[in-house]
Amino acid sequence: MTIPYLLRLLAILSLLTGCSTPYRPPVVVRDSTPFPGVAGIVAANGTRPVDLILVHGMCTQDADWAERSIDRIAGAVSEHAPAAIRSPGADSGGIQLVERTQQIAGGTVRFHALLWSPLTVPLKRQLDYDHTATPTDCATGQVCKPVRAVLNGMVKDRLLDDCLADAVIYEGASHAAIRNAMVETVSRIVAANPDPDGTLVVVAESLGSKMLFDALSSMLESNQPRTQALGQLAARRLGLIYMAGNQLPILGLAEQALVANAMPAQDALQRFLELRRRQPTQRAGRLQRLAVVAFTDPNDLLSYRLLPARYAAPDVAVADVLVSNARTWLGLIENPVAAHMNYLANPDVGKLIACGFLQAVGCK
């Protein structure tokens, strides 16, 4: 049974028995703080451009991901925005940078999309032999392709061999190399756009959130004056973080020792927030309030709610938002690949990123 046939069968069954998207429209979890959107940040910045950094999560991505993600955010504000100005693609430490300047809500947004997956592709190719394919006779054939159930094959090939493998690579021996590449790329973005009063916005998916927080923390702790200064500038400008498919709780387990009755250790976001507060310019009273928003599909097997109580402070406002990235079939299952991969393809998420919880002027 092929995947297209299976999907058609599920579609027919859904017409007969119904399907659901319980968090469409999204639900903002109790005790979350109302948050702005990109349009609101643009309005507050006046004539100053807003810089928005996009970081994809685990799973192989390319420049099309960057262009689609930018289109969805910009399109949620206006379908008739002036033509964008695209910058030539660049490579920074092995990370591809896709940049575009777009007029949104009467202001300017400079998008910077970081594509880090080319770094991990060579290692993941070691798993290619296990990809699902037309079954062969493993007892006699030269190539062994076992019989694998269709849904299991889809999840194995995509969610595990291509996606989860990225998290394993990042938390292993390649951690420092990938983090350093992220530091180099973020430094390049900040150095090229140094306005100390222009707001910096981050939209990061799953593993990409941890990668970015690790990089920012490394910059703030760097013994290289230029890198540390750029880290301080980024921390001072940062006003809004959107996290899609938060993985900090499970990734943090890889950095903790076995201790009986252990309390959760400080995760990557908490560490960055603490370092941000320690900076001289921040202690002097110039620390702007940072909004942190986490989007979670409860059927996403690889995602966790943020839990505002762990991060909320006078300088941090936290919100948890529940979304449905795909239909739940027959009340039994949501496509696990779509549940984790479709956050930025979800129009509800795009609109909240663009317009905020309290819809900004200029949003459709």
Side-chain angles (χ1 to χ4, degrees):
M1 183 183 294
T2 65
I3 290 178
Y5 176 83
L6 179 64
L7 293 177
R8 286 197 298 271
L9 178 60
L10 288 173
I12 293 170
L13 288 173
S14 72
L15 292 175
L16 297 175
T17 60
C19 58
S20 65
T21 48
Y23 295 106
R24 186 170 293 174
V27 170
V28 178
V29 178
R30 177 184 172 183
D31 297 330
S32 294
T33 304
F35 52 88
V38 174
I41 296 293
V42 167
N45 270 244
T47 59
R48 292 189 181 92
V50 172
D51 286 292
L52 191 153
I53 294 178
L54 275 161
V55 187
H56 71 80
M58 57 186 192
C59 312
T60 303
Q61 300 289 1
D62 58 21
D64 286 342
W65 169 86
E67 296 290 354
R68 289 193 306 270
S69 300
I70 295 170
D71 285 343
R72 286 169 186 137
I73 294 171
V77 181
S78 175
E79 294 177 340
H80 306 290
I85 300 173
R86 289 173 169 78
S87 301
D91 191 284
S92 181
I95 295 177
Q96 184 182 358
L97 191 58
V98 178
E99 298 185 294
R100 186 202 298 183
T101 300
Q102 185 94 39
Q103 296 300 307
I104 295 177
T108 302
V109 178
R110 297 183 294 219
F111 290 93
H112 315 273
L114 280 64
L115 296 170
W116 54 262
S117 67
L119 294 171
T120 62
V121 165
L123 285 177
K124 291 193 291 186
R125 284 181 180 150
Q126 297 177 32
L127 305 178
D128 285 355
Y129 79 93
D130 192 48
H131 285 180
T132 305
T134 302
T136 63
D137 186 342
C138 289
T140 61
Q142 291 184 339
V143 177
C144 176
K145 290 295 180 182
V147 176
R148 183 174 281 162
V150 173
L151 284 176
N152 293 67
M154 179 179 65
V155 173
K156 182 72 159 62
D157 295 347
R158 189 67 170 131
L159 208 56
L160 297 183
D161 290 354
D162 185 45
C163 299
L164 187 60
D166 280 327
V168 174
I169 293 169
Y170 181 68
E171 292 295 349
S174 298
H175 175 85
I178 297 174
R179 183 201 61 213
N180 292 343
M182 289 289 292
V183 167
E184 180 179 334
T185 307
V186 173
S187 297
R188 177 177 176 170
I189 293 169
V190 176
N193 305 279
D195 182 358
D197 297 315
T199 301
L200 179 64
V201 177
V202 165
V203 178
E205 295 180 315
S206 66
L207 178 61
S209 300
K210 187 176 190 310
M211 286 182 169
L212 186 64
F213 298 145
D214 286 346
L216 289 171
S217 293
S218 179
M219 292 171 71
L220 292 175
E221 294 183 302
S222 176
N223 56 13
Q224 298 180 17
R226 180 178 182 275
T227 300
Q228 187 181 67
L230 290 172
Q232 291 173 341
L233 179 56
R236 184 165 66 249
R237 292 182 57 192
L238 192 58
L240 180 58
I241 297 174
Y242 286 111
M243 300 169 62
N246 168 41
Q247 294 184 318
L248 296 184
I250 193 168
L251 293 173
L253 298 179
E255 300 167 355
Q256 299 180 53
L258 287 174
V259 180
N261 302 317
M263 296 295 291
Q266 189 180 60
D267 64 30
L269 175 56
Q270 289 173 307
R271 177 164 182 74
F272 165 66
L273 294 176
E274 180 180 303
L275 288 170
R276 178 175 177 261
R277 296 183 186 110
R278 292 181 191 172
Q279 302 312 305
T281 55
Q282 321 300 16
R283 293 200 301 267
R286 298 173 58 187
L287 190 63
Q288 68 170 316
R289 197 179 195 204
L290 174 62
V292 181
V293 184
F295 298 105
T296 308
D297 184 331
N299 288 325
D300 177 1
L301 305 178
L302 300 173
S303 178
Y304 300 81
R305 287 188 295 115
L306 198 58
L307 299 181
R310 291 196 67 185
Y311 309 93
D315 61 312
V316 182
V318 184
D320 263 320
V321 183
L322 301 179
V323 299
S324 290
N325 290 331
R327 292 185 177 90
T328 300
W329 300 97
L330 316 177
L332 297 175
I333 188 170
E334 178 180 331
N335 181 332
V337 176
H340 186 68
M341 298 284 292
N342 284 8
Y343 283 97
L344 294 187
N346 185 335
D348 291 334
V349 173
K351 185 170 184 179
L352 284 170
I353 290 174
C355 302
F357 180 55
L358 301 175
Q359 186 163 314
V361 175
C363 286
K364 293 185 293 185

